[in-house]
Amino acid sequence: MKVKSKKQDRIPGIVISLILFVIECAFLVLLLYTKLISMKYIGIIAAGLLLLLVIVYFLVRKIRKTVPFCIGVVLALLITVVLGLASLYIYKTVSTLDSITGVNQEYTEINVYVKQDDKAQKLADASGYTFGVLGELDRTNTDAALKQVYNELGTDVQTSEYAGLGELADALNNGTCGAILLNKAYLDVIAEMDQYGSFPSQIREIASLKVATVVERNTPAAQQTSSADQEQTSSDTSAKDDAVTDEVYTIFVSGIDTRGGMTASSRSDVNIILTLNATTKQILMVSTPRDYFVPLSISNGVPDKLTHAGIYGVNVCMDTLDMLYDIDINYYFRLNFAGFEQIIDALGGVNVNSDYDFDSGNTTGYHFNKGENHLNGEQALVFARERYAFKEGDRQRGRNQMAVIQGVVDKATQPAFLKNYLSVLDSLDGAFETNVPYDVMASLVRKQLDEGGSWQVLSYSVDGTGDTQKPYSMSSKAYVMIPDQNTVDKAKVLMKKVREGFRLSEADVAR
């Protein structure tokens, strides 16, 4: 009877210890799955959990010893709760990263429009119409959309081609064509053109077609610096850029001019290149004004506003900036303006440094002081979009955008960030996307956890001169900014220095 009593005395402790062992093992497996923590730290965590398991076992091994048993049960429950909360944070982190990383496809929305008073209500009603299309602009997407129209109508589609947006709008207005097939992102461009400002309000969408495009980029291992870049930054023009490794990344940050879906092509109003060196823990932000008058990668040398590159997709944005700065952009981050507000609010606001004391021109009429300002999401968005309050216009707006990014980085690297962590993760869903692979993101997190230390973030803006020219994507002249090549060349030098591991100072990026 005593033997049986001793066995019964130990059974509850064995069960509790086994359950805790399973929970701890599951937690360690989860850590391994995330790839966010190096084996060194997983080993330390495993050792700590094993020690706690042994302590719990010795406390609960005999139920008749009431006090130690109760203490062991409470400790086991506390460990379980802590691991449960940690697992929740880890799961949320991984699921969020999975949803926003590795996005290698985007969609161009090509719509069918008719005049407001047209009887057609859906695409089938326009069967037999002549569809006006652009002859050369965005032709690849147009042809793909025409195939979809043909498949849906089941009949040949009669088209009429026009040289530019103005001619296309005129054709619909005067009845030369019954409908037009147009990239939705062009509507904002038409609205900027003389005599066509009201055109978007005079038409009605009867069908929306989506054309998918794969986003393809060079990996960092394949990244090389052009000979022109080498000549400006090295006395040995034949030297290779051996410093470029898998810990150096060139990333395009785009703020898209839409509050719609993240994967839709749209004008890019924020154009920032991040040169990130994980070895030196240095990030250089280079801002390029939206109206920069440069050849697009698809325009056969004809200049256009940089913002219009986004109409043709993020690939064209990155290829165009590759051409401008003689670089290979590896990845992109894209954020829409609605998401911008969500992230700032989830952080509890950010502190942003302003170069000037100014009032915004928006309807709310926010005032910003020279120096540090604490901004919520809406205020930060207004701060980042304002340009009319400054003599330097869009150039200062680019600097303000980088100041907001700096504020976000500062807030996210403070210990207090943890209390807003889950809400920040929620704010990223549907508002932020990148083609950075999960494994690359996890590698950067592991490196930071292993090495610690703070990051240096510096910013530089290229400059130019205002002018009036006819851009590639427009049928009439518009305001553009002619690049100041000296500032472009300086940006090339700064980016190369960061890639090669040189430590820049504020003096290096001073205007």
Side-chain angles (χ1 to χ4, degrees):
M1 294 296 292
K2 288 184 178 180
V3 173
K4 185 176 181 181
S5 177
K6 286 183 178 180
K7 288 182 178 180
Q8 291 176 339
D9 187 42
R10 292 177 179 177
I11 287 175
I14 294 172
V15 171
I16 291 172
S17 299
L18 285 175
I19 292 174
L20 184 59
F21 174 73
V22 171
I23 291 172
E24 290 183 348
C25 286
F27 179 74
L28 291 173
V29 170
L30 178 61
L31 287 182
L32 286 169
Y33 169 75
T34 67
K35 303 178 183 179
L36 295 172
I37 300 176
S38 66
M39 290 302 299
K40 176 180 70 174
Y41 285 108
I42 290 180
I44 293 172
I45 293 171
L49 291 178
L50 178 60
L51 178 61
L52 289 173
L53 178 63
V54 171
I55 292 172
V56 168
Y57 171 73
F58 279 104
L59 288 171
V60 302
R61 63 178 179 164
K62 294 182 179 180
I63 192 172
R64 57 189 171 81
K65 293 186 177 181
T66 308
V67 174
F69 183 85
C70 290
I71 293 174
V73 170
V74 171
L75 180 58
L77 288 173
L78 285 175
I79 295 171
T80 301
V81 170
V82 170
L83 293 183
L85 289 174
S87 298
L88 173 63
Y89 273 71
I90 293 170
Y91 170 77
K92 188 69 176 178
T93 300
V94 172
S95 61
T96 300
L97 289 178
D98 274 339
S99 68
I100 66 175
T101 59
V103 180
N104 293 312
Q105 192 172 59
E106 68 173 343
Y107 296 90
T108 301
E109 189 173 341
I110 308 293
N111 294 339
V112 178
Y113 297 100
V114 296
K115 295 172 69 173
Q116 281 285 1
D117 58 356
D118 195 281
K119 294 181 180 179
Q121 298 297 318
K122 56 184 183 298
L123 184 58
D125 298 335
S127 180
Y129 282 24
T130 297
F131 285 74
V133 298
L134 292 169
E136 295 183 6
L137 294 177
D138 202 31
R139 192 66 212 210
T140 300
N141 287 323
T142 299
D143 288 343
L146 279 171
K147 289 182 180 179
Q148 294 184 40
V149 173
Y150 170 80
N151 290 334
E152 186 166 338
L153 294 180
T155 183
D156 289 337
V157 180
Q158 184 176 350
T159 62
S160 183
E161 297 183 0
Y162 299 92
L165 294 173
E167 294 85 345
L168 184 66
D170 289 339
L172 183 63
N173 282 333
N174 62 31
T176 304
C177 61
I180 61 173
L181 195 65
L182 186 66
N183 186 329
K184 182 180 179 180
Y186 273 124
L187 293 184
D188 290 326
V189 179
I190 294 177
E192 293 178 351
M193 295 167 49
D194 293 340
Q195 301 177 350
Y196 296 97
S198 61
F199 180 74
S201 64
Q202 298 170 353
I203 60 177
R204 178 166 46 83
E205 174 192 322
I206 62 169
S208 182
L209 311 163
K210 289 182 171 56
V211 177
T213 303
V214 175
V215 180
E216 296 179 329
R217 304 307 301 166
N218 295 323
T219 60
Q223 187 175 355
Q224 294 182 348
T225 304
S226 71
S227 59
D229 202 1
Q230 293 167 4
E231 289 173 2
Q232 294 178 38
T233 58
S234 175
S235 57
D236 181 6
T237 56
S238 64
K240 297 294 183 180
D241 192 6
D242 295 328
V244 177
T245 69
D246 59 358
E247 291 192 341
V248 177
Y249 306 94
T250 303
I251 303 169
F252 170 55
V253 178
S254 173
I256 59 176
D257 187 22
T258 178
R259 292 177 180 267
M262 281 300 303
T263 55
S265 298
S266 175
R267 295 186 306 172
S268 180
D269 272 9
V270 177
N271 300 279
I272 295 173
I273 297 173
L274 300 183
T275 305
L276 184 153
N277 190 318
T279 302
T280 61
K281 289 183 168 47
Q282 191 171 47
I283 298 174
L284 172 68
M285 298 186 290
V286 173
S287 174
T288 309
R290 68 188 296 276
D291 292 324
Y292 234 42
F293 198 50
V294 294
L296 305 186
S297 61
I298 59 168
S299 65
N300 296 318
V302 180
D304 199 350
K305 293 187 178 190
L306 177 60
T307 185
H308 292 165
I311 296 172
Y312 310 103
V314 70
N315 272 324
V316 175
C317 289
M318 292 187 286
D319 290 341
T320 299
L321 290 169
D322 282 351
M323 291 165 50
L324 178 63
Y325 293 110
D326 296 325
I327 56 175
D328 283 325
I329 295 174
N330 311 126
Y331 304 116
Y332 75 88
F333 285 83
R334 184 156 58 175
L335 176 73
N336 69 18
F337 287 132
F340 187 90
E341 291 186 44
Q342 294 172 15
I343 293 171
I344 300 295
D345 285 335
L347 282 167
V350 294
N351 293 326
V352 177
N353 190 71
S354 175
D355 294 332
Y356 299 100
D357 189 282
F358 70 95
D359 293 309
S360 68
N362 73 319
T363 54
T364 309
Y366 287 119
H367 176 79
F368 301 96
N369 298 314
K370 182 177 181 180
E372 188 172 271
N373 298 262
H374 184 77
L375 309 179
N376 61 26
E378 182 179 358
Q379 292 167 332
L381 176 59
V382 171
F383 181 86
R385 299 192 72 177
E386 179 61 47
R387 59 173 168 161
Y388 296 110
F390 311 112
K391 182 179 179 180
E392 293 182 283
D394 198 49
R395 287 160 286 194
Q396 184 59 42
R397 176 164 68 169
R399 298 179 192 119
N400 287 352
Q401 290 165 351
M402 291 189 292
V404 173
I405 293 175
Q406 177 71 66
V408 171
V409 171
D410 290 344
K411 188 66 174 286
T413 53
Q414 294 174 3
F417 168 67
L418 291 175
K419 70 178 182 180
N420 297 318
Y421 184 71
L422 291 180
S423 60
V424 172
L425 291 181
D426 288 336
S427 72
L428 295 177
D429 187 23
F432 178 89
E433 70 175 20
T434 178
N435 68 334
V436 176
Y438 176 90
D439 286 348
V440 171
M441 197 81 77
S443 174
L444 290 171
V445 173
R446 283 198 310 272
K447 183 176 179 64
Q448 181 63 25
L449 290 175
D450 286 347
E451 300 177 357
S454 60
W455 286 72
Q456 179 191 36
V457 182
L458 298 171
S459 61
Y460 179 75
S461 300
V462 295
D463 208 343
T465 306
D467 197 3
T468 301
Q469 298 283 346
K470 181 181 177 182
Y472 167 77
S473 298
M474 300 179 73
S475 301
S476 60
K477 290 186 175 182
Y479 172 83
V480 300
M481 184 181 292
I482 307 300
D484 179 341
Q485 191 59 41
N486 289 330
T487 63
V488 173
D489 290 341
K490 181 175 180 178
K492 294 179 185 180
V493 172
L494 293 173
M495 286 188 277
K496 186 173 190 294
K497 284 185 174 180
V498 173
R499 292 197 301 271
E500 291 185 335
F502 290 97
R503 294 290 294 181
L504 299 179
S505 67
E506 290 290 348
D508 292 321
V509 298
R511 298 196 294 272

